[in-house]
Amino acid sequence: MQASEFRRAVAVATSTASALGLAADDAVVLNNSNKLSLRLLPGDVLARVAPVAQQVAQFEIELAQRLGGSPVAALDPRVPARAYERDGFVVTFWSYYEPGSPASPEEYADALRRLHEGMRRLDIPAPHFTERVEQARRLLADRERTPELADADRALLGEVLDNQGRVNGPEQLLHGEPHPGNLLTTDNGPLFIDFETCCRGPVEFDLAHAPEDMSQHYPGVDHELLRRCRLLVLAMITTWRWDRDDQLPDGRRLAAQWLGEIRTVLTGRD
């Protein structure tokens, strides 16, 4: 969030928590990107704050409730499970977990497998993963939103999105971005958070967001499909880093690095 939004978002989170009876004298920033994550003390609750126009908070709450028994972070049981809207922001309250030991590749893979099992049983509407590919294509075509992207790099990313975006395989409900940043390591084992990018597609699309050594421990992987999904995801996240409004720290450096990785993959295939 921008500085002007950040201050208001923190104020909304703390005042909403206080009104619900949660002690919120101090706010520790855990993550600040398109959504703000705060640890509110001394009540020790995790508040997630997003602008109204950019949130799918109620969907995340319902999904977390229906995935009971799966490795997902829990809502804070001390307040009603709902999205609280105020001053242009939406706040949700979650249990705070003290960090545990980093998950091994085997633990990571097992957690994602169990998450997928839980999601497979749900019949809820969610966009197809190709809609996210199309969002990346539209951003790539919008030179006003990506003014710093060189023509050669724009053409390269467009080629990958077009050629790799047509992947086939058994489909189900997916997390959408189960990368390490969305995996909490806790004393209760790995727990997934942040389901705003939930979509439908092959499990290999989810696996493409995770470290390669993890996928070696996930059962039944189509490795050729996973290879294509990894290249597709790399092109998508590279495109998003060139958005003039992107707020990821060090985003441009990462974008340049990932462009180099894409070229290396394509060159090695020739």
Side-chain angles (χ1 to χ4, degrees):
M1 288 186 185
Q2 303 295 339
S4 57
E5 282 189 319
F6 174 85
R7 289 189 292 272
R8 290 195 302 115
V10 172
V12 166
T14 55
S15 62
T16 303
S18 296
L20 292 168
L22 299 172
D25 300 329
D26 189 25
V28 179
V29 178
L30 302 179
N31 184 57
N32 180 19
S33 55
N34 62 320
K35 184 181 296 181
L36 183 63
S37 295
L38 303 167
R39 182 186 183 186
L40 303 182
L41 296 168
D44 220 11
V45 58
L46 176 67
R48 301 179 68 196
V49 195
V52 170
Q54 299 176 13
Q55 61 80 36
V56 288
Q58 194 58 44
F59 173 80
E60 288 190 90
I61 288 172
E62 293 173 3
L63 190 58
Q65 291 174 319
R66 296 183 65 177
L67 283 171
S70 297
V72 299
L75 293 152
D76 192 296
R78 295 171 291 179
V79 297
R82 57 180 290 261
Y84 296 87
E85 185 173 333
R86 181 178 176 185
D87 194 23
F89 294 96
V90 171
V91 187
T92 52
F93 295 102
W94 304 79
S95 295
Y96 174 77
Y97 298 88
E98 289 287 351
S101 300
S104 68
E106 294 87 349
E107 291 171 328
Y108 199 146
D110 183 64
L112 186 57
R113 177 191 61 78
R114 289 187 290 118
L115 175 67
H116 284 158
E117 285 183 354
M119 300 186 88
R120 199 173 296 133
R121 294 192 291 266
L122 301 183
D123 183 19
I124 60 175
H128 197 261
F129 82 96
T130 52
E131 292 188 28
R132 297 185 60 202
V133 179
E134 185 56 34
Q135 290 172 1
R137 285 196 185 102
R138 290 196 296 270
L139 178 60
L140 197 62
D142 191 339
R143 292 177 179 270
E144 289 188 4
R145 290 184 59 191
T146 55
E148 298 178 43
L149 184 59
D151 287 345
D153 296 335
R154 193 182 303 272
L156 175 68
L157 291 170
E159 177 186 350
V160 174
L161 292 174
D162 289 342
N163 292 339
Q164 305 301 322
R166 298 181 292 273
V167 299
N168 298 305
E171 298 184 352
Q172 67 157 85
L173 192 65
L174 303 174
H175 179 287
E177 287 188 356
H179 54 67
N182 284 332
L183 183 72
L184 299 180
T185 56
T186 78
D187 292 338
N188 297 323
L191 299 175
F192 286 97
I193 60 171
D194 202 351
F195 288 83
E196 65 180 333
T197 53
C198 183
C199 59
R200 290 192 173 274
V203 295
E204 285 79 6
F205 182 77
D206 259 3
L207 288 166
H209 291 81
E212 290 191 31
D213 58 358
M214 183 275 268
S215 62
Q216 299 171 11
H217 302 279
Y218 191 101
V221 175
D222 181 333
H223 289 283
E224 173 57 23
L225 179 56
L226 176 57
R227 181 194 62 76
R228 294 187 61 191
C229 284
R230 284 198 185 281
L231 188 57
L232 175 64
V233 168
L234 190 57
M236 290 167 60
I237 63 176
T238 301
T239 300
W240 293 330
R241 297 292 75 79
W242 288 103
D243 188 338
R244 67 184 180 193
D245 297 324
D246 183 57
Q247 298 178 34
L248 186 73
D250 212 17
R252 289 292 189 275
R253 183 193 65 79
L254 288 171
Q257 173 186 321
W258 293 336
L259 277 167
E261 293 178 14
I262 291 171
R263 289 194 177 89
T264 297
V265 171
L266 295 178
T267 300
R269 191 181 303 168
D270 294 339

